[in-house]
Structure formats: structure tokens, C-alpha cells
Amino acid sequence: MTKNPNRIRDGSPAATAALYVLSIIICIVTLYPMYYVVIKSISDPQLSLTRPVILYPQGLYFGAYELIFRNKDMWIAYGNTLIYVTTTTILMILTSVMAAYPLISKKLAGRKFVVAYLLIPMYFGGGLIPSFLLINSLGLYNTRLALIIPGAVGIWNIILTRTYFASIPGELSEAAYIDGASIYQVLFQIYVPLAKPIIAVIAIYTIVGVWNSWFGANIYQTKTELHPLQMYLQRVLISQSVDLNKLKTKEEIEQARQVALGAQQLKYALIVFITLPILCVYPLFQKQFMKGIMLGSLKG
């Protein structure tokens, strides 16, 4: 029996095994920090102080999670984050679609100039002080709009959407115009349904960015009732610290130690509680996300 020279050869078993081992090591290194935070958050504070928490929790302690669920300030921050994420994501998708659609038309006067003009803010910004002065002069300081409006437009998302729209055959819109469709009907009934992958990319980028943001709230908001979750987490991480050098008696030191132990568990539990929802978003957008990344970034 003669061998076919054109037959596709399988890889070396040793190389395949090495790749599997390397992949497993990378997965462990990537996932272990989050796993450590989870098991640390449910470990008994006293036992975790004397026994190392490496592969499994030392005892079971859910008191930190009980404190979180009973904390009114945390739920206020959680509601604020949901408002910021939902509103900013909707506005980001809307502005990206509405701005990208005219830029694919060859009949648009000054189209190249507009595209070039959009590239300037991507590389040059006014800085923090002009941004603060602008927010303050517009009367947005200490309001929710101070975090929503600046994040409602993304130049990169507009360019990404325009590139994807340009890959859609123009014959579809021409046929729709012949049938009497308006500009908005063509946009929202033809282009938007076909652009679900790129919209998913914009949505997941915006959701993750807004969910993890804290700097804007730190600059533009002094009212704690307007702060998002990340600012609440920052307050907990900072305010729960105790300077043991200022304590004199043994009773004070022991009491501070107990508070520090409970605060440590609270920090780990908060990290898990705040991170878990955003981790659950990825599976919902995974299919469209991967397709949009490939098509939106390569075509054009």
C-alpha cells in the first residue's frame, strides 16, 4: 500500500502533549487568583490566619456575604452601576450606529475629512483639567450625567462600526430604496440586524469598561449616593484599614485585629460579588463577540 504524498500529516504526539500541558498551566495561572479570592472569602477568619489557604477553604464562613447583602450603601452603589452600565451602553450603540452609517455613503460631502477629523481625538486629548472645567461649566458636576455623557460616544467604536457596515453589500440598500424604504428603515431593518456581531463587540466593551470604572466618579462626584460599585469597593478597602501603631493597650490591639480579620473577609467577598456579574456577561455575547471581532477588524 503506497502512501499518499498529499495526505495531511498529523502533528507530533509529543508536541501535542506539550501544547496540552502548556495550555493547562496557562489556565491554572489565569484562573487560580480568582479561585483563591473565592475560597478566601468563604474561609473562617480565625482558621485562615493560622492555616494557609491554597487549594481549599479553611472552614466555612459566610458572614462577610451576609454583611454585604444587609448593607444598604452597597445596594445603592449597585443600582447606580446598573444605571450607568445600561444607559451608557445603549447610548454608545446608538451613537456608533448613527455616526457610522452616513460615513459609508460615497455621496456624503467631505466624508474623508470627517473620518480624518474623528481620528484626531483618538490620539490627542484635552487632558483632565479641561475635561473637569467642561463638566463643571455644563452643570454636570455631582450628577449621574457626569459619568454617562462622556462615555456615550466612542471614536474607535464608530470606526469599527463603519468598517463593518462597509462590508455589507450595497445592493441590499439599493433594493430597499427602490421598494420605497426610507433611510432609517434601511438602517434599522437591514444594517442593524446584519451588524449584530459588531454591536455585541461594542456592548461587551462598554459594559466591562463602565462596570470597572471608578476614576470618573472619583473626579466628578463627591456625593457617595451617586457612586458606582467600584467606588464603594475603594471606600471599603481604604476605610477598613487600621494603624496598629496608634493603639496602646492589648485590648485595643485585639479588638483592632478582630476588625481587621472581618474586614479582610469582607474585601474578598466584595471582590467576588462585584466581579461575578460581569463574568456572567461574556457567555451571553460569546458567539456574536468572536464573530464581530474577526469581521469588524479585518474587513474594510
Side-chain angles (χ1 to χ4, degrees), residues 39 44 71 78 87 89 141 152 173 184 250-251 294:
I39 62 176
D44 185 270
N71 194 308
Y78 199 96
T87 308
T89 303
Y141 187 74
S173 59
Y184 293 102
K250 293 182 179 180
E251 291 76 10
M294 297 299 297

Side-chain angles (χ1 to χ4, degrees), residues 46 56 83 135 137 139 146 157 214 229 259 278:
Q46 298 292 340
Y56 53 87
I83 293 174
I135 294 295
S137 62
N157 292 331
W214 61 272
L229 268 175
V259 172
I278 203 63

